[in-house]
Amino acid sequence: MGRHLSNRHPGYDKSGDSVTSSAPQPITVVKKAQQQGKQQMDYDHLNWLLVKWLILASLPPSTLEEKWLANSFKFLNPSIQLWPGERYKVKIREVFRSMQEDVMATLEKVSSKVSIILDFWNSYEQIFYMSVTCQWIDENWSFQQVLLDICQIPYPCGGSEIYHSLEKVLKMYNIESRVLSCTHDNSQNAIHACHTLKEEIDGQKLGMFCYIPCAARTLNLIIEDGLRTTKPVISKVREFVLELNSSAKMSEDFIQLTAAYQEGSWKFPLETSARWSGNYQMLDIVCKVIALSSEISNILI
């Protein structure tokens, strides 16, 4: 992001003005207009840094209109000038469009077929989104990957809406005739969209196309089904591990206890996500704790 802004937006790549030097510097009388111009350049640089912050943190431009944040900047420098919220929106759109142009230029040089990966999620406002990622192997047999777009899928968010959104992205980057495969999340809507895309590609005789479910998603569904009866236990273990990760003292005591009973090394912090890997690790802890409790009981008896 920083390199992109530096190359495409001169206001961002401003370096420091002051250079430490032991040699005496001549005294120069600076006119007031020049001072104002220099200050304006400083403000532009600050605003470009804020643009980068908004993009990397996925925050809306309205964040900078919050009065306490604005007051914090004013406390540091009463004369500081932030851009209006609408200008931040314009600049973010400029960055997005120029990055799209960079991606288009990259894909124009790709001579091979490409693969597409679709990911879906709902926002806090229950808005349905789809990300489209492109992957390929270059001439040096190196794996390449680039995010093409993040689309808001219109209601009712079915297979037809997914297909039309995907079609727009493929046509925008001019790769609709070079798609070899599509990986999706196993949902019926995604399958329907990929089936429609296959019919379109087959109808135009553009070559072979296949769509396959995501292996990680499939594995996660299988493990979730297998752990259905143990979910209450795993939830309690996850709560315990979260507390353990937050306390260095508890973690140290736990490591000493496991070492005393030769339970092997424990890596902290433990992963507590609800993904299949996190569920597996929680179940593994349950097995170890049961074994440890059994050994302690035998010793006490």
Side-chain angles (χ1 to χ4, degrees):
M1 178 65 67
R3 182 175 58 195
H4 169 81
L5 291 175
S6 299
N7 292 335
R8 302 298 291 267
H9 303 280
Y12 172 78
D13 62 353
K14 174 186 167 296
S15 59
D17 294 319
S18 60
V19 179
T20 303
S21 174
S22 58
Q25 299 296 325
I27 299 175
T28 305
V29 177
V30 182
K31 295 181 180 179
K32 185 176 182 181
Q34 291 177 333
Q35 290 178 338
Q36 292 176 345
K38 181 178 182 299
Q39 288 180 346
Q40 184 61 45
M41 182 174 62
D42 289 341
Y43 297 146
D44 284 345
H45 179 58
L46 169 64
N47 282 287
W48 274 114
L49 290 175
L50 292 174
V51 167
K52 179 183 178 182
W53 173 58
L54 291 174
I55 293 174
L56 293 181
S58 300
L59 295 173
S62 59
T63 303
L64 297 175
E65 297 175 0
E66 206 281 325
K67 67 174 184 178
W68 291 108
L69 182 61
N71 288 342
S72 298
F73 283 112
K74 291 293 184 181
F75 175 77
L76 295 174
N77 187 344
S79 63
I80 207 164
Q81 297 176 6
L82 299 182
W83 290 339
E86 192 60 35
R87 188 174 181 185
Y88 284 109
K89 295 179 182 178
V90 171
K91 294 301 181 182
I92 290 174
R93 292 191 195 104
E94 287 180 8
V95 172
F96 179 72
R97 283 193 295 267
S98 61
M99 293 182 74
Q100 276 188 324
E101 293 171 1
D102 292 343
V103 173
M104 289 177 184
T106 298
L107 291 176
E108 285 178 359
K109 301 175 183 178
V110 178
S111 58
S112 64
K113 293 273 189 176
V114 299
S115 296
I116 299 297
I117 295 179
L118 306 181
D119 285 311
F120 304 92
W121 68 93
N122 286 317
S123 69
Y124 289 113
E125 296 83 7
Q126 296 304 307
I127 299 174
F128 192 52
Y129 288 99
M130 173 183 71
S131 68
V132 183
T133 304
C134 181
Q135 298 179 338
W136 71 94
I137 304 296
D138 64 17
E139 292 80 2
N140 299 319
W141 287 94
S142 297
F143 174 77
Q144 303 294 337
Q145 174 175 286
V146 64
L147 177 65
L148 298 182
D149 204 352
I150 295 178
C151 317
Q152 178 181 336
I153 307 300
Y155 184 82
C157 310
S160 177
E161 289 76 21
I162 291 175
Y163 166 72
H164 289 302
S165 298
L166 175 59
E167 184 184 35
K168 288 180 182 179
V169 174
L170 298 180
K171 286 185 176 181
M172 180 174 62
Y173 289 97
N174 195 28
I175 58 173
E176 66 271 20
S177 62
R178 294 190 284 144
V179 178
L180 176 65
S181 64
C182 180
T183 304
H184 56 79
D185 69 344
N186 305 358
S187 67
Q188 287 300 316
N189 289 333
I191 292 174
H192 180 271
C194 289
H195 181 73
T196 306
L197 180 60
K198 178 175 173 57
E199 289 180 347
E200 181 71 19
I201 292 176
D202 290 345
Q204 298 183 23
K205 298 180 179 180
L206 299 176
M208 182 183 69
F209 171 79
C210 63
Y211 52 95
I212 55 177
C214 174
R217 175 65 175 164
T218 302
L219 182 60
N220 189 46
L221 291 174
I222 293 172
I223 292 175
E224 282 187 358
D225 185 66
L227 296 179
R228 187 181 306 165
T229 57
T230 60
K231 273 190 175 181
V233 177
I234 290 177
S235 296
K236 291 181 179 179
V237 175
R238 182 173 283 110
E239 292 177 7
F240 167 73
V241 171
L242 286 170
E243 188 70 23
L244 202 64
N245 287 342
S246 64
S247 172
K249 183 65 170 60
M250 288 180 62
S251 299
E252 184 180 349
D253 292 342
F254 187 78
I255 291 175
Q256 291 178 358
L257 180 63
T258 55
Y261 290 95
Q262 299 180 353
E263 284 299 315
S265 61
W266 292 72
K267 183 179 179 181
F268 288 89
L270 294 167
E271 204 240 309
T272 58
S273 70
R275 296 190 298 268
W276 72 267
S277 55
N279 286 333
Y280 175 83
Q281 192 165 23
M282 295 302 103
L283 188 61
D284 185 53
I285 290 173
V286 172
C287 294
K288 288 184 176 180
V289 170
I290 291 174
L292 181 60
S293 300
S294 177
E295 288 184 15
I296 294 175
S297 298
N298 291 335
I299 292 173
L300 293 177
I301 293 173

